[in-house]
Amino acid sequence: MSTDPSTPRLEEVNRPESFRAELERLRAEATGTPGGDPSPAGGTTDRTGGTGLDLVVRGERILVEGAFGPWEVGVRGEQVVAIEPLGTGLAAGRVIELAADEVLVPGLVDTHVHVNEPGRTEWEGFATATRAAAAGGVTTILDMPLNSIPSTVTPEALELKRLVAGPQAHVDVGFWGGAVPGNRDQLAALHGAGAFGFKCFLLHSGVDEFPPLTPEDLEDYLREVAGFGGLMIVHAEDSRAIDLAPHCEGDRYERFLASRPRGAENLAIAVVIERARWTGARAHVLHLSSSDALPMVASAKADGVDLTVETCPHYLTLTAEDVPAGATAYKCCPPIREESNRELLWQGLLDGTIDYIASDHSPSTPEMKGVAHGDFGQAWGGVASVQVQLPVVWTEARRRGIPLEQVIAWMATKPAARVGLSSRKGAIGVGLDADLVVLAPDATFTVDAAALQHRHAVTPYDGRELTGVVRRTLLRGAPTGDTPHGRLLSPG
């Protein structure tokens, strides 16, 4: 990522007093009285008074307990309350009959989304990001703690972000806290305030107000987090290895790839594994791109280290060999690597070494992305994909003979379980939220970046033909649309 030279320094933006006036204003707007406690967005309402069903979905292919079958799904209020064999005849005021080419799957749970609001809403904001998520069958996102100003590194900053997000959320939203030098004593309070865990970097994050931890810091912070059962999620690239790599400039992608070598990732992942082993903490490696790291991840898991790993749609579907000159929409950190590397990532998913898939949706303005100049060294690193991630992954998985059931497990069930949401999200089941997606898995479309719902029309998937069309998204039983009705989530 490139540093934004206009960004205020850490000490100027991450202290509560620096944004106190805005926090008080939003508190007042949310409650009607200055200084009051805000209510969560949305809420659970039984619209039938406890009798009957609000909605029934019927179809030959509904994903229940990991397999497609002929079912009827009954929804009361915001939850699934009945799943019966097709033909049972469940009745409700609203009925959705799946077409012959449609399936019903749970809403995706994307645990890696950079919304950037407040502070950098010109890059992306909650209204646009969550609208795009809903259009792509994503019903839950977890927002990253950096690129917003202030960073989510204090309870007050988390409260501010919740107040900003609540009125705009088209899907359910949770929040990661940040782990940066100097805020170790804030982590327990952040956890208590509703943070799902804590993100840290082991090299410059791209923005000065979110500085990295050293390996020694990481060990101390993991020990702190282990004390209350929290989860540390790590951007794992070694800073010295990056500093010593060739400098990147110009429009040749191979120069950018050389500037972010696999070795940098491998070294940092080894640091995460050993510190998690020593401290007993729960750890998660973000956006794995280096297949070289898979054997040591597998070894750590076999040893009982509480470690999970995600990868991203772009690492599974794009290859370094195919990135055009100057196509900075493809730039991300770690980088998209070679085809041979991609093949091993798929194998890592299939054998369980990699646990799940998350988008790492990280947009910026076209100017920052370098659309005009095509210089990989100057462009912001991040792929915009929250709306198209399901068809992107499904298109490639289908080509490989991997069933849709497995894709949904990687993009909904497993991430929900790791972040503590499996009692509400990630599957179609009695007692779970009625987050339902009507998908035409064999229908095709061509991506038009200008028609996507996220803020800027920049994505490496522009013009790509994909398979899998999201025809309808229901959030807790209600159709997503122009009126936001997302809820703010906390773990547990």
Side-chain angles (χ1 to χ4, degrees):
M1 296 178 182
S2 301
T3 303
D4 179 354
S6 65
T7 297
R9 299 295 298 182
L10 170 69
E11 60 271 17
E12 298 171 348
V13 298
N14 285 340
R15 296 178 303 181
E17 56 269 27
S18 66
F19 54 91
R20 179 66 63 189
E22 180 68 3
L23 182 56
E24 293 297 335
R25 183 186 70 79
L26 289 168
R27 281 174 175 167
E29 284 185 0
T31 64
T33 55
D37 293 328
S39 299
T44 301
T45 303
D46 183 345
R47 294 184 294 273
T48 68
T51 61
L53 298 172
D54 295 310
L55 169 69
V56 171
V57 184
R58 302 189 187 110
E60 293 285 348
R61 293 186 292 168
I62 293 178
L63 186 60
V64 175
E65 295 184 351
F68 283 106
W71 298 102
E72 298 181 3
V73 177
V75 176
R76 180 186 302 131
E78 299 183 332
Q79 292 185 330
V80 174
V81 297
I83 299 176
E84 300 292 345
L86 185 63
T88 299
L90 294 179
R94 294 170 53 223
V95 176
I96 296 174
E97 302 274 2
L98 297 183
D101 67 338
E102 293 176 340
V103 302
L104 189 72
V105 298
L108 302 191
V109 177
D110 188 349
T111 59
H112 196 148
V113 179
H114 292 267
V115 179
N116 308 329
E117 187 178 11
R120 291 193 175 96
T121 313
E122 70 275 13
W123 298 11
E124 183 69 286
F126 283 101
T128 49
T130 59
R131 190 181 296 117
V138 180
T139 52
T140 301
I141 67 168
L142 295 193
D143 171 62
M144 284 293 164
L146 73 158
N147 301 343
S148 58
I149 300 175
S151 304
T152 314
V153 295
T154 65
E156 292 86 357
L158 176 57
E159 182 185 0
L160 176 65
K161 187 168 277 194
R162 290 175 66 91
L163 287 166
V164 169
Q168 305 184 74
H170 291 266
V171 300
D172 287 353
V173 180
F175 304 91
W176 295 108
V180 297
N183 85 324
R184 186 179 64 180
D185 293 342
Q186 298 273 354
L187 299 184
L190 263 170
H191 180 73
F196 277 78
F198 310 96
K199 180 177 187 177
C200 70
F201 280 73
L202 297 180
L203 79 171
H204 196 282
S205 69
V207 290
D208 289 340
E209 73 272 7
F210 200 94
L213 300 181
T214 67
E216 292 72 25
D217 290 335
L218 175 65
E219 184 177 342
D220 290 342
Y221 279 55
L222 283 170
R223 207 174 302 280
E224 175 75 15
V225 168
F228 54 82
L231 175 65
M232 184 71 78
I233 65 174
V234 186
H235 182 122
E237 289 181 283
D238 181 82
S239 60
R240 180 162 172 78
I242 297 293
D243 289 343
L244 294 175
H247 178 68
C248 172
E249 60 182 13
D251 67 353
R252 292 170 52 199
Y253 184 77
E254 57 266 32
R255 295 192 65 170
F256 170 62
L257 184 61
S259 76
R260 312 291 292 216
R262 297 190 202 189
E265 215 175 333
N266 304 336
L267 282 169
I269 290 170
V271 166
V272 175
I273 288 171
E274 296 312 311
R275 265 59 178 189
R277 189 195 307 274
W278 301 342
T279 61
R282 302 168 62 224
H284 178 74
V285 173
L286 296 168
H287 45 50
L288 179 73
S289 80
S290 172
S291 62
D292 294 350
L294 292 171
M296 63 178 162
V297 169
S299 176
K301 289 184 172 188
D303 289 346
V305 178
D306 193 341
L307 178 74
T308 49
V309 177
E310 71 184 49
T311 192
C312 302
H314 37 279
Y315 301 133
L316 296 168
T317 61
L318 306 175
T319 64
E321 293 91 337
D322 293 332
V323 177
T328 52
Y330 289 76
K331 180 181 176 180
C332 55
C333 301
I336 295 160
R337 301 194 188 277
E338 302 85 354
E339 182 179 4
S340 58
N341 182 83
R342 180 184 68 174
E343 298 309 302
L344 291 172
L345 293 179
W346 277 103
Q347 184 58 48
L349 273 167
L350 289 167
D351 67 23
T353 305
I354 301 172
D355 296 273
Y356 59 81
I357 302 168
S359 72
D360 192 8
H361 176 73
S362 185
S364 65
T365 65
E367 293 76 20
M368 288 189 64
K369 197 62 185 163
V371 171
H373 58 67
D375 187 330
F376 284 101
Q378 296 299 314
W380 179 261
V383 171
S385 63
V386 68
Q387 184 171 336
V388 296
Q389 60 182 305
L390 177 54
V392 163
V393 174
W394 169 232
T395 299
E396 184 65 20
R398 186 173 184 264
R399 184 179 73 82
R400 295 166 179 271
I402 298 170
L404 181 58
E405 299 96 306
Q406 180 64 76
V407 171
I408 298 301
W410 287 329
M411 302 184 78
T413 312
K414 291 185 176 183
R418 184 53 165 168
V419 302
L421 285 174
S422 58
S423 64
R424 291 176 276 172
K425 307 288 186 182
I428 300 173
V430 173
L432 275 62
D433 288 350
D435 297 344
L436 307 172
V437 175
V438 177
L439 176 72
D442 299 321
T444 61
F445 70 102
T446 300
V447 177
D448 177 3
L452 298 179
Q453 299 294 313
H454 63 255
R455 187 171 297 279
H456 298 292
V458 179
T459 178
Y461 303 109
D462 189 28
R464 183 176 291 252
E465 184 176 282
L466 299 176
T467 302
V469 174
V470 173
R471 290 187 174 160
R472 190 181 310 205
T473 301
L474 304 178
L475 175 65
R476 289 177 281 107
T480 56
D482 293 335
T483 303
H485 66 280
R487 175 187 295 154
L488 304 183
L489 302 174
S490 295

